[in-house]
C-alpha cells in the first residue's frame, strides 16, 4: 500500500537532503582545498580518481535544484555549508563569495516555502587544517566552533535547524581506522583521537552557538543494525562490539557523557589524555537528534586479528547498488531505541535514508520502481515507530540528486533526480514522481 501525507502527523516534515562537497562543485566561487581533493588525487582511493570539483554544479544551478523541491511537494531541504568554501584556509580570511552563496541559497529556500535544515560539517576538512592533523588534533574543536560562529552570524537568523556534524562514525572510524574515506588513515591511535575530538568539536560548536542565542541545535548520527552471525558467544560479542563502536559511542557520549565499555576495551589505551574531563561539554542538552539509516551488517568473530576482532558476513537479503542489504526493520528499531534508551521525547528526524541504484535514462524516463518500494517501506517503518511512541518529526530522503558518492565517485546513484554528469541535465526519476504524488495536498 502506498503512503500519503495524511498517514503522518499534521506537522511532520518531508524533505530531501544533500551535502556541499557532493553537489556544489568545489572548483567554483573561491572555495578552498579540502582533504577530499587530495584523497581523490591519490591512486586507489576513489573510483576513477573522481573528485568534487564540478560535481552537480549546484553552485550555479541551485535555483533549478530548489525548484525541484517545490515541484516535488517537499516541506524542507537539508543541505550543508562547506567549511572550506567559507574559510579557504580553515581559519583566518573569510571567502566573501562563499558567505554570499549560502546567503542567497537560504533566501531561495525560504522564498520557495521550504524550511532550511543546515549541517555545519559534512566532511570537507580544509587542507590547511588537515595538514595540522584535522580531527586528530584537539585544537580542531575551537577551529570548528569559530567556523560555526562565522557562518551562523551570516545565515543563522533564517535557518530552521542546525546540525553540527554529519555522521561522526564516518568522520572518525571510517576515515581514520578503516581508511575508506579522507584522510584515509588506518591507525587505532588516530581513530581514538578522532572518535573523541569529533564529539568535542560538536560540544564546542553547541556551546558557541548557544552563547549567541541560536535555537534548534542538533547532531546527525548514522546507525547500522548489527546482527550476530550466530548465537555463539564469540559472534555475539563481535556484534556487540560493533554496535558499541558504530551505534552507541556517539549517542551515549552526547546523551550520557560516557563511552561504552565494549568500545573502550580497545580504544582506551589510545585516547587523548584527560578525555574524561571533556564529557560534560560533549553532553550538553540538544534540541533534536538526526538519525541516518541505510542498512544492517552481520558480524562474526575473527580470531587471529587484533581488536575489534570482527569480520562482516554477506547477508541473504536483497541488496542495493552499494551491496547494502535492504532492512527497513532496522530503521524502526533505531527510532524506537533512541526514544526508549536515550532521548525520550526529544524530536527525532530521519535526516537520511535512501538507496543507490544503477539508474539509466531511457526515452526520457528513469523507472526506479525498486527505489519507490525502498522508500515506502522505510516510511512505513517510520510510521510504526511513531505509533509506538518515538517522537519523529520529519523524514529526509538521501538524496535529492545523484551526486559524488565519496570513494565510489559518481558511479553510485542515490538521487530521486538523475544527473547526467556530462551535460549536468537533471531528470526526475519515477521515485520522485511517486513521492510528489504521495506528498501532494
Ligand atoms: O552519500 C552519503 C552521505 O554523504 C552521508 N550518508 C550516507 C550517504 C550514502 O552513502
Amino acid at each position: 500500500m502506498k503512503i500519503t501525507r495524511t498517514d503522518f502527523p499534521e506537522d511532520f516534515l518531508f524533505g530531501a537532503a544533500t551535502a556541499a562537497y557532493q553537489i556544489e562543485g568545489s572548483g567554483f566561487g573561491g572555495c578552498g582545498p579540502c582533504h577530499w581533493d587530495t584523497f581523490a588525487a591519490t591512486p586507489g582511493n576513489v573510483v576513477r580518481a573522481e573528485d568534487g570539483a564540478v560535481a552537480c554544479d549546484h553552485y550555479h544551478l541551485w535555483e533549478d535544484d530548489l525548484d525541484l523541491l517545490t515541484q516535488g511537494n517537499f516541506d524542507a531541504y537539508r543541505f550543508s555549508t562547506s567549511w572550506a568554501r567559507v574559510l579557504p584556509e580553515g581559519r583566518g580570511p573569510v571567502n566573501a563569495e562563499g558567505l554570499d552563496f549560502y546567503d542567497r541559497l537560504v533566501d531561495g529556500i525560504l522564498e520557495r516555502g521550504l524550511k532550511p535544515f543546515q549541517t555545519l560539517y559534512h566532511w570537507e576538512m580544509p587542507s590547511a587544517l588537515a595538514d595540522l592533523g584535522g580531527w586528530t588534533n584537539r585544537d580542531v574543536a575551537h577551529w570548528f566552533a569559530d567556523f560555526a560562529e562565522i557562518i551562523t552570524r551570516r545565515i543563522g537568523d533564517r535557518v530552521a535547524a542546525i546540525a553540527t556534524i554529519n555522521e561522526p562514525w564516518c568522520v572518525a572510524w571510517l576515515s581514520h581506522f578503516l581508511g575508506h574515506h579522507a584522510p584515509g588513515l588506518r591507525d587505532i591511535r588516530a581513530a581514538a583521537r578522532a572518535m573523541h575530538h569529533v564529539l568535542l568539536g560538536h560540544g564546542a560548536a553547541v556551546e558557541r552557538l548557544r552563547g549567541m542565542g541560536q535555537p534548534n541545535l542538533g547532531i546527525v548520527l548514522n546507525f547500522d543494525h548489527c546482527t550476530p552471525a550466530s548465537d555463539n558467544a564469540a559472534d555475539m560479542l563481535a556484534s556487540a562490539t560493533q554496535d558499541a563502536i558504530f551505534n552507541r559511542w556517539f549517542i551515549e557520549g552526547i546523551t550520557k557523557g560516557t563511552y561504552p565499555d565494549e568500545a573502550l576495551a580497545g580504544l582506551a589505551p589510545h585516547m587523548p589524555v584527560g578525555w574524561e574531563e571533556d564529557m560534560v561539554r560533549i553532553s550538553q542538552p540538544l534540541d533534536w537528534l538526526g538519525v541516518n539509516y541505510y542498512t544492517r551488517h552481520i558480524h562474526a568473530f575473527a580470531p587471529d586479528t587484533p581488536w575489534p576482532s570482527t569480520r562482516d558476513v554477506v547477508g541473504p537479503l536483497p541488496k542495493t547498488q552499494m551491496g547494502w542489504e535492504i532492512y527497513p526493520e532496522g530503521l524502526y528499531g533505531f527510532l524506537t531505541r533512541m526514544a526508549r534508551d536515550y532521548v525520550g521525547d526529544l524530536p527525532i528526524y530521519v535526516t537520511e535514508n535512501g538507496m543507490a541504484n544503477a539508474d539509466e535514462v531511457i526515452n526520457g524516463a528513469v523507472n526506479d520502481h525498486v527505489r519507490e518500494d525502498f522508500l515506502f517501506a522505510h516510511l512505513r517503518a517510520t510510521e510504526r515507530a511513531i505509533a509506538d511512541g518515538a517522537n519523529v518529526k520529519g523524514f529526509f530522503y538521501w538524496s535529492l540528486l545523484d551526486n559524488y558518492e565519496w570513494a565510489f565517485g559518481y558511479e553510485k546513484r542515490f538521487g530521486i533526480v538523475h544527473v547526467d554528469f556530462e551535460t549536468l541535465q537533471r531528470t526526475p526519476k519515477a521515485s520522485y514522481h511517486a513521492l510528489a504524488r504521495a506528498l501532494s495536498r
Side-chain angles (χ1 to χ4, degrees), residues 6-7 54 70 156 213 243 271 310 401:
T6 52
D7 298 326
V54 176
T70 18
D243 188 55
M271 292 290 280
T310 73
L401 305 171

Short mmCIF file of all heavy atoms in Angstrom, two decimals, residues 6-7 54 70 156 213 243 271 310 401:
data_model
loop_
_atom_site.label_atom_id
_atom_site.label_comp_id
_atom_site.label_asym_id
_atom_site.label_seq_id
_atom_site.Cartn_x
_atom_site.Cartn_y
_atom_site.Cartn_z
N THR A 6 -1.21 12.13 4.78
CA THR A 6 -2.16 12.04 5.90
C THR A 6 -1.89 10.84 6.81
O THR A 6 -2.48 10.72 7.87
CB THR A 6 -3.61 11.96 5.37
OG1 THR A 6 -3.65 10.90 4.41
CG2 THR A 6 -4.04 13.26 4.72
N ASP A 7 -0.97 9.95 6.41
CA ASP A 7 -0.59 8.84 7.30
C ASP A 7 0.31 9.33 8.44
O ASP A 7 0.61 8.58 9.37
CB ASP A 7 0.18 7.76 6.53
CG ASP A 7 -0.69 7.14 5.45
OD1 ASP A 7 -1.91 7.03 5.66
OD2 ASP A 7 -0.15 6.78 4.38
N VAL A 54 33.55 19.68 -9.85
CA VAL A 54 32.36 20.15 -10.57
C VAL A 54 31.09 19.55 -9.94
O VAL A 54 30.09 20.24 -9.76
CB VAL A 54 32.43 19.78 -12.07
CG1 VAL A 54 31.15 20.17 -12.80
CG2 VAL A 54 33.64 20.45 -12.72
N THR A 70 10.30 22.20 -4.62
CA THR A 70 8.90 22.71 -4.54
C THR A 70 7.99 21.90 -5.47
O THR A 70 6.90 21.52 -5.07
CB THR A 70 8.80 24.21 -4.92
OG1 THR A 70 9.95 24.60 -5.63
CG2 THR A 70 8.63 25.07 -3.71
N GLY A 156 22.30 32.38 10.32
CA GLY A 156 21.61 31.76 11.47
C GLY A 156 20.25 32.35 11.76
O GLY A 156 19.40 31.70 12.38
N GLY A 213 22.77 32.67 21.25
CA GLY A 213 21.30 32.64 21.28
C GLY A 213 20.69 31.86 20.12
O GLY A 213 19.49 31.99 19.84
N ASP A 243 28.34 -2.82 17.57
CA ASP A 243 27.22 -1.97 17.99
C ASP A 243 27.72 -0.83 18.89
O ASP A 243 27.28 0.31 18.78
CB ASP A 243 26.17 -2.81 18.72
CG ASP A 243 24.90 -2.04 19.00
OD1 ASP A 243 24.31 -1.49 18.04
OD2 ASP A 243 24.49 -1.97 20.18
N MET A 271 43.33 6.79 23.76
CA MET A 271 42.55 8.02 23.91
C MET A 271 43.47 9.17 24.34
O MET A 271 44.47 8.96 25.03
CB MET A 271 41.44 7.83 24.96
CG MET A 271 40.36 6.86 24.53
SD MET A 271 39.33 7.52 23.22
CE MET A 271 38.24 8.58 24.17
N THR A 310 36.59 -8.60 14.50
CA THR A 310 35.31 -8.93 13.86
C THR A 310 35.48 -8.92 12.35
O THR A 310 36.39 -8.28 11.82
CB THR A 310 34.20 -7.92 14.23
OG1 THR A 310 34.45 -6.69 13.55
CG2 THR A 310 34.14 -7.67 15.72
N LEU A 401 19.62 14.65 -5.45
CA LEU A 401 20.30 14.47 -6.74
C LEU A 401 21.28 13.29 -6.70
O LEU A 401 21.90 13.05 -5.66
CB LEU A 401 21.15 15.72 -7.06
CG LEU A 401 20.46 17.07 -7.07
CD1 LEU A 401 21.50 18.19 -7.18
CD2 LEU A 401 19.48 17.16 -8.24
#
